Structures are given as C-alpha cells and as structure tokens.
Amino acid sequence: MAKQLSGAGLRGQVAGKTALSTVGKSGSGLTYRGYDVKELADKCQFEEVAHLILKGKLPNQQELDDYKAKLRSLRGLPTALKEVLERIPKDAHPMDVLRTGCSMLGNLETEESFDQQQDATDRMLACFPSIICYWYRFTHDGVKVDVETDDDTIGAHFLHLLHGEKPRELHEQVMNVSLILYAEHEFNASTFTARVCASTLSDMHSCVTGAIGSLRGPLHGGANEAAMDMIEKFDSPEHAEKEMMGMLERKEKIMGFGHAVYSDSDPRNEIIKQWSEKLSKDVGDTVLYPVSVRCEEVMWREKKLFCNADFFHASAYNFMGIPTKLFTPIFVMSRLTGWAAHVMEQRADNRIIRPSAEYTGEELRPVPAISER
C-alpha cells in the first residue's frame, strides 16, 4: 500500500535527492553545490554560477572565457522563430511568449539524444533574452532588433536589447546578482515539474516548457509582478501602511511575503534589498524604496511574515526601467540553469515519478440505464 502524504501541497515531504542546492538547511539558508549564495553573489558573475550548477564546478578564468564566448555565439534566433514571435499579440503575457518560444526552438533544434543536453541548455540560456526582447521590441516599438550583441554577460545582453543601448555598469551588476539569486532553489514547483517531465525520458525543451508554465503562476514566479502592482499604487510610506492594514483586515492575499521552506527570513532578500537601495539613491527615488521598506515593516509587525526574494526585486527592476510584465521572464532566464541541471540529474539516475493518490470519491456502484438517470 502506498504511504499517504499528509502535508498540504506535499510541503515537508521528501520527493527525491539532489546534489544541486540546499534550501533552509545550511547556515546561509541557501547554497549551490556547497557554496553560500551570498558569497557567490558577491564574488561571481552569473555565467560562473551557471557553469557551477550545470557542469559541477566553478570555472577557472580560461573556462569562464570559453563558456561566455560560446554563449555569445548562440544569441541569434532562427528566422522561423522570429516569424512566430512576430505573430504573438502585443497583449500576450511574456511568460506565454517564452513558453511558445522555447517550444518552437525545440521544433527547430530538437534534442535528439541526451548527449546533446548541455548544448541544448546553453542554447536556451543564450537566446532566452533574445526571444523575449525580440517579441517585446517588435510588438511594443515596431522594431526588429538585432539580437546578436557583443555584451559580455547575459544580464547586459538583456538590458541592451530591451533599452536599445549598452547598460550602465551598475545596472549590469544588479542584473548579474539577480540572475545568481534566482538560479536554483531545490524542488520548487517549476523544478519539480521539469523533473517529472524528465522522468518520462522526454526531451529538454519539453521539460523546460513545462517548467515555464508552472513558473507563470502568481504563487510562484509571478509574485514579483504582483508585488510591483501593489507598491506602485502607494504614494508614501504612510499611505502604504494604511492600505496594507486594510488588506490584512480584509484577509486579502499580499504577494512577496513568506516562503514555503524558509521560516525566519529569505537569504536572497537581504542581498537584493541592498541593491534596490543603491538603485533608489542612484535615480533619486523618494517613494518606491521607502514604501517597500514600510511594507516589509508592517508585514513583520502584524503577521511575522518576511519578504521573500521577489519583493525587493520588484523595485530593483523598476529602477532599471524594466516593464513589470517582463519581471518573471527574467526569473526564467536565470532558473533555466537549475531546471536543466535537475533534468540532467534526473536522467542520470532515473525512475519515473508516479505518486499515488488518496481516493475521496464515490464507492463502487452500478451504471444505471440511461432511462433511469
């Protein structure tokens, strides 16, 4: 008989093994292959962390140079994919655009064997910023952008395509940190989706497409968009506190707070909050960052709920001129590394993931004749 799982949403249940990350178990609260995420965000570029997660080790200088050169060479988009992106409506959700773009890429550059899994992953890592920015600039600005930039990093490549000019060093730094913070997070909903798909021996593009679909939801990746939609309505910290108290009284869902695994704090929030403050000072902001801080204070005082990684990402992205609807696609550009590494890990020691369910329906009964129904 299958063991019944009592935890709601399978929280607290061990569903498999991974050597990729710890969440809520280490001194820092989050490590990638044994390295504290805070130290990685302070000392590394995202491409170094991607190399670590996907290939198992931090690269030396030559390996990093070679890896970045490979990724730069893979930023272009096939004509057929551009044509598909041009047909997607302007009001489509960008996560739907990425989901379609990933699926179309899988049709054009199908992973024929698991020997190609690293190349397929590197290709997606290189061109996901190209996919979302090509669609956005075409549908919103009427411009067919040249997606093959010479920017040194993925974060700079994204900002360059989005704004039509090379980003400032500060903005590239923040993007680098953001991508590192979102890169991997154990068996979250989207990663588990990817692993379930991988367990059927499906291809990498199908696994990633499914993961994008899971990340799209507001209870997962969409939380940063929801946080931005809320805080931009407040014109002062006092206004924010008044409105939030009303939301709490009405028992409305407030996004960007609490976490399924962390109990006291999210280590990623401390890092991105500092960068949000730097960006706030850089642009002369006197509202958005103070409002965000007051929201954090109210939620902790009233509910003992802490900000998760999504909350201060909202203001940080806003200060860099990134449209709210593109927040979650940035998450995809980063978490792809974790998804793909989990797919590879699942494939290396595979058994199909097929849990049992506790039946709560009717007992066995006869089928009545149609005249008796």
Side-chain angles (χ1 to χ4, degrees), residues 69-240:
K70 179 183 180 182
L71 293 175
R72 282 196 300 272
S73 73
L74 296 172
R75 289 173 176 170
L77 300 178
T79 299
L81 178 50
K82 291 180 181 178
E83 291 172 348
V84 168
L85 294 173
E86 290 169 11
R87 290 176 178 268
I88 299 177
K90 176 181 180 179
D91 60 355
H93 195 290
M95 287 293 285
D96 296 342
V97 177
L98 267 182
R99 184 192 64 212
T100 299
C102 179
S103 184
M104 185 61 186
L105 188 68
N107 282 287
L108 299 172
E109 301 175 9
T110 307
E111 181 198 40
E112 300 292 352
S113 75
F114 292 173
D115 292 338
Q116 300 172 334
Q117 61 183 6
Q118 186 64 60
D119 287 338
T121 299
D122 290 344
R123 174 66 163 137
M124 286 187 280
L125 192 59
C127 78
F128 273 11
S130 302
I131 288 174
I132 194 61
C133 288
Y134 185 88
W135 166 81
Y136 185 84
R137 295 293 306 280
F138 178 81
T139 57
H140 290 68
D141 302 329
V143 176
K144 294 185 179 183
V145 295
D146 179 1
V147 297
E148 298 187 63
T149 73
D150 61 353
D151 295 291
D152 186 56
T153 64
I154 288 171
H157 173 59
F158 168 76
L159 291 175
H160 188 169
L161 293 181
L162 178 63
H163 297 310
E165 59 184 14
K166 283 186 173 293
R168 295 172 52 205
E169 182 179 354
L170 173 62
H171 291 185
E172 183 175 1
Q173 283 182 300
V174 177
M175 281 299 302
N176 178 69
V177 170
S178 175
L179 293 172
I180 289 173
L181 296 181
Y182 273 139
E184 159 59 9
H185 216 238
E186 199 213 56
F187 278 23
N188 54 82
S190 56
T191 298
F192 195 61
T193 298
R195 288 195 76 129
V196 170
C197 189
S199 78
T200 70
L201 302 184
S202 190
D203 65 289
M204 182 65 78
H205 295 92
S206 292
C207 297
V208 173
T209 300
I212 293 172
S214 290
L215 189 66
R216 186 195 193 288
L219 294 184
H220 192 8
N224 50 22
E225 296 180 37
M228 189 66 226
D229 289 339
M230 178 183 73
I231 61 177
E232 67 181 352
K233 297 175 183 176
F234 306 145
D235 55 27
S236 69
E238 293 72 27
H239 182 212

Side-chain angles (χ1 to χ4, degrees), residues 141 167 192 196 241 266 286 312 318 328:
D141 302 329
F192 195 61
V196 170
E241 178 159 353
D266 186 331
T286 59
F312 277 93
N318 182 270
T328 312

Side-chain angles (χ1 to χ4, degrees), residues 283-336:
V283 300
D285 165 68
T286 59
V287 176
L288 197 58
Y289 183 77
V291 159
S292 300
V293 172
R294 181 64 66 88
C295 290
E296 180 182 38
E297 293 170 349
V298 169
M299 289 299 286
W300 182 252
R301 183 189 72 216
E302 299 295 327
K303 292 293 184 179
K304 289 296 182 286
L305 287 176
F306 54 88
C307 291
N308 56 39
D310 295 314
F311 191 74
F312 277 93
H313 261 105
S315 53
Y317 288 163
N318 182 270
F319 292 140
M320 292 189 288
I322 300 172
T324 302
K325 62 194 298 185
L326 296 186
F327 287 4
T328 312
I330 298 174
F331 198 150
V332 174
M333 288 158 41
S334 167
R335 186 57 59 83
L336 167 65

